[in-house]
Amino acid sequence: AQTVTQSQPEMSVQEAETVTLSCTYDTSESDYYLFWYKQPPSRQMILVIRQEAYKQQNATENRFSVNFQKAAKSFSLKISDSQLGDAAMYFCAYLTGTASKLTFGTGTRLQVTL
Amino acid sequence: EPEVTQTPSHQVTQMGQEVILRCVPISNHLYFYWYRQILGQKVEFLVSFYNNEISEKSEIFDDQFSVERPDGSNFTLKIRSTKLEDSAMYFCASRKTSGNAYDEQFFGPGTRLTVL
């Protein structure tokens, strides 16, 4: 069974600084996809960034980027120039090509301070 | 911008009662999902639905749960006899299909179910 582990229950970053959220996963599949979702206090899940496992190049979306280390089964999220609106719960998620259900980690609560 | 909607936003029910949670997926989407999140815990997959039948379900999705697409727009989750441990946030999600499960799943705002 696939598992997703987020070892940081809470993180804090100062506004305009950079923070990295960690995620590791376990799978025997070769074809899969990884996602980071943001869940603000409104509780709606919003896709932040995604990565195909077959792509070596790390995905980037504006201030958000990932460090995908396939051999280490690691998928960290880097947030640059952090903003107050980035404060939220962040979930790492995994999806295989053979099924379409998302498997989520336990989440990291990110606080952004002035 | 199209979005997934869910009603009600909060449902309070007595243990043993039936509840129906409603979702309106994005109109051109064909795959539909229910997930749940017990307070303070991770989001868990319940069921996926495609072409008017269940594609996959988790071990959580037992005989007390059912899903239905009663018309062309709604997608419902029914819990026949609620238990205290069913108290959670229930998220509906949908995705269009291009033959690729990688397509983004769009989530609704959730329904908070409280079982007393």
Side-chain angles (χ1 to χ4, degrees), chain A residues 70-111:
Chain A
K70 190 171 184 179
K73 295 181 180 172
S74 170
F75 181 62
S76 60
L77 174 69
K78 185 170 84 170
I79 306 173
S80 304
D81 186 26
S82 297
Q83 300 174 359
L84 293 177
D86 295 333
M89 200 72 173
Y90 286 81
F91 290 96
C92 178
Y94 166 99
L95 181 149
T96 67
T98 55
S100 59
K101 65 178 184 182
L102 288 163
T103 299
F104 288 88
T106 50
T108 296
R109 182 172 302 283
L110 178 66
Q111 292 184 322

Side-chain angles (χ1 to χ4, degrees), chain A residues 33 39 43-44 100 102 105, chain B residues 33 35 37 91 102 105 107:
Chain A
Y33 311 96
Q39 187 182 41
R43 306 209 42 104
Q44 188 154 7
S100 59
L102 288 163
Chain B
Y33 306 83
Y35 293 84
Q37 184 182 29
F91 292 102
Y102 166 73
Q105 292 183 26
F107 282 78

Side-chain angles (χ1 to χ4, degrees), chain A:
Chain A
Q2 295 84 17
T3 58
V4 178
T5 302
Q6 294 179 251
S7 58
Q8 306 154 315
E10 288 192 18
M11 292 283 284
S12 183
V13 63
Q14 281 193 319
E15 198 177 15
E17 296 297 307
T18 296
V19 65
T20 299
L21 308 184
S22 301
C23 173
T24 59
Y25 58 94
D26 187 25
T27 183
S28 57
E29 302 280 345
S30 58
D31 180 23
Y32 56 89
Y33 311 96
L34 297 162
F35 303 81
W36 278 98
Y37 277 87
K38 172 184 178 181
Q39 187 182 41
S42 66
R43 306 209 42 104
Q44 188 154 7
M45 302 282 283
I46 302 164
L47 179 65
V48 174
I49 197 166
R50 56 186 161 189
Q51 172 84 40
E52 298 108 305
Y54 66 87
K55 286 189 177 178
Q56 293 188 340
Q57 186 173 6
N58 290 322
T60 300
E61 288 285 343
N62 301 314
R63 297 184 295 107
F64 299 88
S65 61
V66 299
N67 183 6
F68 175 48
Q69 302 288 327
K70 190 171 184 179
K73 295 181 180 172
S74 170
F75 181 62
S76 60
L77 174 69
K78 185 170 84 170
I79 306 173
S80 304
D81 186 26
S82 297
Q83 300 174 359
L84 293 177
D86 295 333
M89 200 72 173
Y90 286 81
F91 290 96
C92 178
Y94 166 99
L95 181 149
T96 67
T98 55
S100 59
K101 65 178 184 182
L102 288 163
T103 299
F104 288 88
T106 50
T108 296
R109 182 172 302 283
L110 178 66
Q111 292 184 322
V112 181
T113 59
L114 293 170

Side-chain angles (χ1 to χ4, degrees), chain B residues 8 19 36 49 74 77 93 96 99:
Chain B
V19 294
R36 82 171 185 191
F49 190 87
N74 289 283
L77 174 69
K96 63 182 179 182

